Amino acid sequence: MNIATEPGQHRLFLALLPDASTRRALLRLRSRAITFGVSEDLQGTGWIAPENWHITLAFLGACSVEERQTLSELGPGLFEDFQGVRLTTQAMQGFPEAKQPERIWAVTFAPLAGEDTEHGASPGSWRGHLLSFSDIAELVQDRHEFSPHITMARSRQPMSWPQRNFAIQCHFDRIALLESINDRREGRIYQSLSVAGASL
């Protein structure tokens, strides 16, 4: 496998992972969007494989081997209280990618009515819980306002993607520390370094 990664650097992020029924529902949603005028190949856009769908809680950027090891060891303790998160989809839409010169097509989620007192109750509260640990907070590179979404496709070419509103109940049953690896043949690969959840 030909990996395009700088030696000694690891691109890590924290994410929520959907359960199998949610992935099936979003696959049906994507198929419906194609019937609304989105080309199935999206003019060279890369579809994200369903097994790679996730909600990013925090992007940690390029970490050293030592930082990667430390975070991998911290993971089980940080995630042990996670019992899953339920969200309702709001829309499928295209918008500019904040970190790279491309556009993404994503499923966004409806704003939450409020935060529960338990840190495992919502993506925002789990993000806050994880970022309260200095080993993680010092590495966070994405300081944009947290906006839960699942990226469905990416394109480096200007495109006009339709926005469609849908309300689908989604369950995220696992939380994970993932590594993003660029493979010249397979694109982005997400390797799980630590994962926990209600279904495990």
Side-chain angles (χ1 to χ4, degrees):
M1 187 162 57
N2 192 6
I3 303 295
T5 305
E6 292 184 22
Q9 296 291 309
H10 301 271
R11 295 170 60 83
L12 307 183
F13 63 100
L14 298 158
L16 298 175
L17 308 180
D19 66 4
S21 63
T22 295
R23 287 197 302 273
R24 289 193 295 269
L26 293 179
L27 267 175
R28 292 193 294 270
L29 188 60
R30 189 178 76 174
S31 297
R32 291 175 66 183
I34 290 173
T35 66
F36 292 141
V38 179
S39 170
E40 190 163 359
D41 64 7
L42 287 179
Q43 300 177 13
T45 295
W47 289 103
I48 306 299
E51 59 268 23
N52 287 331
W53 290 346
H54 63 271
I55 290 178
T56 298
L57 292 176
F59 177 67
L60 306 181
C63 300
S64 67
V65 173
E66 293 75 16
E67 290 167 335
R68 179 181 186 271
Q69 180 64 28
T70 297
L71 293 174
S72 297
E73 293 172 354
L74 281 175
L78 298 178
F79 304 156
E80 62 183 355
D81 295 331
F82 185 75
Q83 294 298 315
V85 168
R86 294 191 181 277
L87 296 171
T88 303
T89 62
Q90 182 178 44
M92 292 189 300
Q93 60 193 99
F95 51 86
E97 166 62 62
K99 298 183 289 294
Q100 299 191 36
E102 59 188 7
R103 291 186 63 84
I104 66 175
W105 192 50
V107 172
T108 57
F109 293 89
L112 298 173
E115 299 284 0
D116 195 284
T117 55
E118 303 254 353
H119 61 243
S122 72
S125 53
W126 258 99
R127 173 183 162 91
H129 167 66
L130 294 172
L131 297 190
S132 67
F133 292 83
S134 60
D135 290 300
I136 292 177
E138 293 173 359
L139 296 171
V140 174
Q141 294 189 7
D142 185 0
R143 298 294 178 180
H144 294 84
E145 181 179 353
F146 179 56
S147 179
H149 66 272
I150 293 179
T151 299
M152 308 290 280
R154 297 178 182 274
S155 174
R156 292 185 179 275
Q157 303 174 12
M159 302 187 69
S160 177
W161 292 339
Q163 175 174 332
R164 292 292 184 272
N165 297 333
F166 295 97
I168 296 177
Q169 293 295 315
C170 298
H171 183 215
F172 296 82
D173 62 347
R174 289 158 296 149
I175 189 169
L177 171 68
L178 302 176
E179 179 172 1
S180 177
I181 301 172
N182 287 330
D183 185 285
R184 290 193 177 94
R185 289 174 297 182
E186 299 182 38
R188 297 182 189 183
I189 298 172
Y190 301 127
Q191 176 182 348
S192 176
L193 303 181
S194 184
V195 61
S199 67
L200 301 179

